[in-house]
Amino acid sequence: MNKQRLLMMIEVAIFAAVGLILDKLSFSIWAQGGSISLVMVPIVLMAMRWGTLAGLTTGLIVGVLQVMFGGSILTPLQGILDYFFAFTIVGIAGAFRPMVLHASKNSKSGAMLGWILIGTTVGGILRLVSHTAAGAVFFAEYAGDQNPWIYSITYNSSYMIPAIILTGIVIFLLFKAAPKLFVQKQF
């Protein structure tokens, strides 16, 4: 195994653990689940630092860790949607890594912010879609007389939209303060 790959694997493990800790330091707004946290920060950071595969892997490990440390699973499909897929898909932000690096190289902080926010937003919205599907299918009883899909998107948006915004701000500030965080060490 080459040193680059080993370093990436070590960083994935460390950042996944940081993600779990950040998720535990969250602001819960609903008793049924869902919280505003910075859990997506290490996933997006790894996606921007190493690319999509590292971001997806970090997200998957975060999901696995959440299940291990108290995730609420009703059925295997609900667990997949709410934990494994929801956090894994945040790593898709890595698809925007080349644009972020290009903007940074050309000292275009506005473009850099734009691509970081687009990547973070895309990953966050895909996570929202996953939680919404799980909510509409597996937690429909909480909707009462409402359409379960509308209830689920409203419920999940109430914590996911602030989480997406906070993640975008933190990632941008990290990038501005330490742009070398987003460049892999070459051996």
Side-chain angles (χ1 to χ4, degrees):
M1 178 178 307
N2 68 34
K3 291 179 181 180
Q4 283 295 102
R5 185 170 168 85
L6 178 61
L7 180 60
M8 181 188 75
M9 290 170 52
I10 291 168
E11 288 183 14
V12 164
I14 291 169
F15 278 78
V18 170
L20 178 67
I21 292 166
L22 289 174
D23 195 51
K24 297 300 178 189
L25 302 173
S26 63
F27 174 68
S28 296
I29 59 173
W30 301 110
Q32 294 91 358
S35 60
I36 300 170
S37 76
L38 295 173
V39 66
M40 293 189 295
V41 169
I43 300 168
V44 173
L45 184 59
M46 285 302 294
M48 294 294 175
R49 180 170 166 77
W50 289 97
T52 306
L53 180 61
L56 295 170
T57 305
T58 304
L60 176 62
I61 295 171
V62 167
V64 168
L65 289 171
Q66 286 193 340
V67 169
M68 289 174 56
F69 289 96
S72 177
I73 297 181
L74 299 176
T75 70
L77 182 57
Q78 178 265 326
I80 289 168
L81 287 173
D82 265 340
Y83 294 99
F84 304 114
F85 185 75
F87 291 97
T88 300
I89 200 64
V90 173
I92 204 74
F96 299 90
R97 180 177 186 271
M99 287 72 91
V100 170
L101 293 177
H102 180 74
S104 175
K105 181 179 166 189
N106 293 321
S107 299
K108 295 183 178 180
S109 60
M112 184 177 61
L113 172 60
W115 288 115
I116 289 171
L117 291 178
I118 289 169
T120 301
T121 302
V122 167
I125 287 173
L126 290 172
R127 178 180 165 206
L128 170 61
V129 168
S130 188
H131 288 312
T132 297
V137 173
F138 298 102
F139 299 100
E141 69 272 8
Y142 291 110
D145 294 337
Q146 298 177 54
N147 177 309
W149 286 95
I150 292 172
Y151 176 81
S152 185
I153 194 144
T154 303
Y155 179 92
N156 287 292
S157 293
S158 70
Y159 69 89
M160 280 301 305
I161 290 173
I164 293 166
I165 292 168
L166 282 173
T167 299
I169 290 168
V170 169
I171 291 291
F172 176 71
L173 292 174
L174 283 172
F175 198 98
K176 285 294 281 183
K180 291 187 180 188
L181 281 175
F182 294 80
V183 179
Q184 308 121 354
K185 182 176 181 179
Q186 299 296 320
F187 290 97

